[in-house]
Amino acid sequence: MLYRVIDAEELPALVEAFMADYEVIAPVKTKSGYAFKAVDSFDQISIDYPTTIASLKKYYLPQRETLFEFDAGANEVVDYTATVRPRVLFGAHACDINAINCLNSVFEDARYPDPYYEAHRQATLVVGVSCSPSAECFCHLMEADEARSGYDLFLQDIGGRYLVSIGSVEAANILEAACNPREATDEDRRAFRHRTRQRQESFNPDIPDIQEIPMLMDAFHSDPFWDELGSRCLSCTACAAVCPTCHCFDIRDSLATDGKTGKRERVWDSCTSPQFAVVAGGHNFRPTGRERVRHRMYHKLNGFLATHDRNLCVGCGRCVTACKADISPIEVLRFFERKGAEDAE
């Protein structure tokens, strides 16, 4: 990995250089919080933002996406190819970059590559930015507080300047043309270590650090805890909507008014929806809130790890804020903490 240092005053020039050939998506302040939106000026960007309400997932996996169009009368199917404008996701936090890496593991599986997802990924550059955790963040417990891959540039604030980790030649060329990057000095490296320690010490200590979570998910699979947690679930699916790694989808056909032509679309779905596990004949494999909530948490904290060697939860804390029933992975960690305390007595 190549590292360089730029001054904070050079960031506007870097953003303007990206704007010459790319659509720039960045965090902006809204009435209800912060959100990623297209910008046309560096002045619109909130570079030191807390976690956004929604994630960057929609730029790789749109909420509604046309797969193909059809003509039932002529018995014809026409492939649908959307034009994806080259873009830069500027200001992504480490947890969101790790979330994109999770999605890549699913949709870029060599056995079943997804051409729609790949078109979005190939058109996208990612510029990450360091952050300070909020009270709901627990990315350090999910090993997602550092981005080791998945970005083109990563900017670590070290006080009036940025230590830039370079992940692609394309981004390196833009950085070189727009800024005056220089090699890191011993002082820069000391500043980096200091900022890293500051971030690590800023995480909410009330969120328990639990070891061997996958094993505990199996050990307490039938515990009454899941009845209590599942009984709270409102099935609103807000957790999946804001989650940066939830990738379940439904396939729907919609007809035009002529009743013959139409299109097939992929739309977001959620395993906490009561209809999600209903199959032909009306049988529902997960009919209760207990089963649906437990399944979601199991997938986040165990199932995905076994298949892809990484947690599907990146600890961004969005579901903590979005859920009105206080259902989140943090509640599962606290449950395991209570169980550990009981065993110690």
Side-chain angles (χ1 to χ4, degrees), residues 38 103 135 152 172 194 286 322:
L103 297 179
D152 296 272
H194 175 67
R286 289 188 288 274

Side-chain angles (χ1 to χ4, degrees), residues 5-25:
V5 174
I6 64 172
D7 293 326
E9 291 79 8
E10 296 181 275
L11 276 191
L14 178 60
V15 172
E16 288 176 10
F18 280 124
M19 287 179 177
D21 297 304
Y22 302 87
E23 176 185 36
V24 175
I25 309 295

Side-chain angles (χ1 to χ4, degrees), residues 216-255:
L216 294 171
M217 290 296 295
D218 285 332
F220 294 104
H221 188 262
S222 300
D223 196 274
F225 165 76
W226 299 110
D227 288 307
E228 191 280 325
L229 198 67
S231 68
R232 298 189 226 158
C233 183
L234 305 175
S235 299
C236 67
T237 72
C239 53
V242 300
C243 178
T245 64
C246 277
H247 53 269
C248 291
F249 59 84
D250 191 11
I251 299 294
R252 300 176 185 174
D253 289 346
S254 58
L255 284 172

Side-chain angles (χ1 to χ4, degrees), residues 14 17-18 22 88 125-127 151-154 164-179 181:
L14 178 60
F18 280 124
Y22 302 87
V88 175
L125 296 183
V126 177
V127 178
Y151 58 81
D152 296 272
L153 297 176
F154 194 91
V164 185
S165 176
I166 300 173
S168 74
V169 173
E170 186 175 359
N173 290 337
I174 296 173
L175 178 72
E176 185 73 31
C179 305

Side-chain angles (χ1 to χ4, degrees), residues 194-225:
H194 175 67
R195 287 301 178 102
T196 300
R197 285 194 298 270
Q198 277 188 323
R199 187 188 75 244
Q200 292 171 341
E201 293 168 358
S202 297
F203 284 101
N204 185 351
D206 293 332
I207 301 175
D209 184 1
I210 304 298
Q211 305 300 309
E212 301 296 338
I213 295 174
M215 182 192 70
L216 294 171
M217 290 296 295
D218 285 332
F220 294 104
H221 188 262
S222 300
D223 196 274
F225 165 76

Side-chain angles (χ1 to χ4, degrees), residues 111-317:
R111 298 168 300 172
Y112 315 106
D114 188 300
Y116 306 95
Y117 181 92
E118 185 64 14
H120 291 288
R121 197 192 71 80
Q122 289 293 339
T124 305
L125 296 183
V126 177
V127 178
V129 174
S130 60
C131 61
S132 295
S134 64
E136 296 80 19
C137 294
F138 56 103
C139 56
H140 62 309
L141 303 181
M142 298 293 110
E143 299 183 357
D145 57 322
E146 294 182 11
R148 298 182 175 88
S149 64
Y151 58 81
D152 296 272
L153 297 176
F154 194 91
L155 310 175
Q156 170 67 52
D157 184 359
I158 55 175
R161 59 202 188 282
Y162 290 90
L163 179 67
V164 185
S165 176
I166 300 173
S168 74
V169 173
E170 186 175 359
N173 290 337
I174 296 173
L175 178 72
E176 185 73 31
C179 305
N180 183 33
R182 58 190 183 274
E183 295 207 11
T185 64
D186 288 342
E187 181 183 354
D188 294 327
R189 285 184 278 271
R190 284 193 294 270
F192 170 73
R193 291 194 295 270
H194 175 67
R195 287 301 178 102
T196 300
R197 285 194 298 270
Q198 277 188 323
R199 187 188 75 244
Q200 292 171 341
E201 293 168 358
S202 297
F203 284 101
N204 185 351
D206 293 332
I207 301 175
D209 184 1
I210 304 298
Q211 305 300 309
E212 301 296 338
I213 295 174
M215 182 192 70
L216 294 171
M217 290 296 295
D218 285 332
F220 294 104
H221 188 262
S222 300
D223 196 274
F225 165 76
W226 299 110
D227 288 307
E228 191 280 325
L229 198 67
S231 68
R232 298 189 226 158
C233 183
L234 305 175
S235 299
C236 67
T237 72
C239 53
V242 300
C243 178
T245 64
C246 277
H247 53 269
C248 291
F249 59 84
D250 191 11
I251 299 294
R252 300 176 185 174
D253 289 346
S254 58
L255 284 172
T257 53
D258 60 12
K260 298 180 180 179
T261 59
K263 57 186 177 181
R264 176 161 293 179
E265 296 177 305
R266 171 164 63 189
V267 296
W268 287 359
D269 204 348
S270 171
C271 62
T272 56
S273 168
Q275 294 80 34
F276 184 83
V278 176
V279 296
H283 179 70
N284 191 339
F285 281 94
R286 289 188 288 274
T288 68
R290 165 201 170 95
E291 294 158 319
R292 293 191 292 270
V293 169
R294 183 179 62 185
H295 173 80
R296 183 172 192 273
M297 295 300 175
Y298 192 92
H299 191 208
K300 295 289 181 185
L301 301 174
N302 190 343
F304 194 85
L305 179 67
T307 305
H308 298 283
D309 199 29
R310 66 170 73 227
N311 288 312
L312 191 59
C313 176
V314 294
C316 68

